[in-house]
Amino acid sequence: MSVITTDVMTTTVQPIGIRPTGYRLPDEAHIGRVRLQVSDLSASILYYTRVLGFRVLDQRGSVAALGPHDGSPLIELRERRGARPVPRRGLIGLYHFAILLPDRAALGRFVAHLADIGAYAGSADHLVSEAIYLSDPDGLGIEVYADRPRSEWQTHGGEIVMATGPLDLRALIRAAGGEPWTGMPAGTTIGHVHLHVNTLSEAEAFYQRALGFDKVVWSYPGALFFSAGGYHHHVGTNTWAAGAPTAAADDARLLEWELRLPAATDIGAASKGAATEGFDVRQDEDDYLITDRSGITVRLTQRSNS
């Protein structure tokens, strides 16, 4: 289904974004689990539970699955003892993964919780969303955010308008209504992944032409954003760490992220598009693993949230 919006800056009506010329992902496409390699599982679990408010849903040896209070696993931590922390400049690979809260009140409760425990975080108002930024014990980037209503998003020439401005933290805390933070609430999801890549042309070739995302933001300095269904972005890419090494086997890093699709035919079409464009495609039972030119692997799956 085509997503139509009113362009508030030109008062015309037009589709959001630039569609791929071949296969296009369905509107229902969304991000599933992220799998992370960490250096010390116990330290990471302490951070993800105490600071972020996740629950450990399953732990077997050096692997733990975490999720919000409705029991949906969103993050898988895999320990590699002694893995190198992410350097300050970053590595080609993960910039951050983004945890989407169900509403603004939940984000306000999270901000108040961070203040209560004295946890350092950055913040930004992106117009389409309000965001808090943190780093885990290995330096892996994390965003926790809430979307503004789509009716408030602006477009210009079909491009979704995003920016980075100061966030009104006091207003966010007021939105919490005085309710305490009790951990990641039901309805929390992984909203997007944001990646350091070698070049934006390579990112466009993979995420738009090969996988079938729409390109939705292209005027942000050094970055391109891609989505399905008119969302502001399911995948962000940037060249802000250009020239840095690619995250390697001995680094704390993103091992893979899931792109969940509604039908096996969609998985087949997306994987075929990637293979046609010359990308490495590997089958793992009913899933397909595809690695881009920056060494970042996406798993195409029909897996549910359970």
Side-chain angles (χ1 to χ4, degrees), residues 200-201 203-204 215 217-220 222-226 235-238:
L200 295 183
S201 60
E204 185 173 355
K215 184 168 64 172
V217 181
W218 52 89
S219 297
Y220 205 97
L224 286 176
F225 297 84
F226 308 89
V235 178
T237 61
N238 71 68

Side-chain angles (χ1 to χ4, degrees), residues 1 73 103 153 168 172 198 203 209 221 276 295 300:
M1 180 179 69
D103 52 46
W153 299 0
D168 189 340
L172 259 183
N198 289 310
R209 294 205 300 272
T276 299
L300 305 184

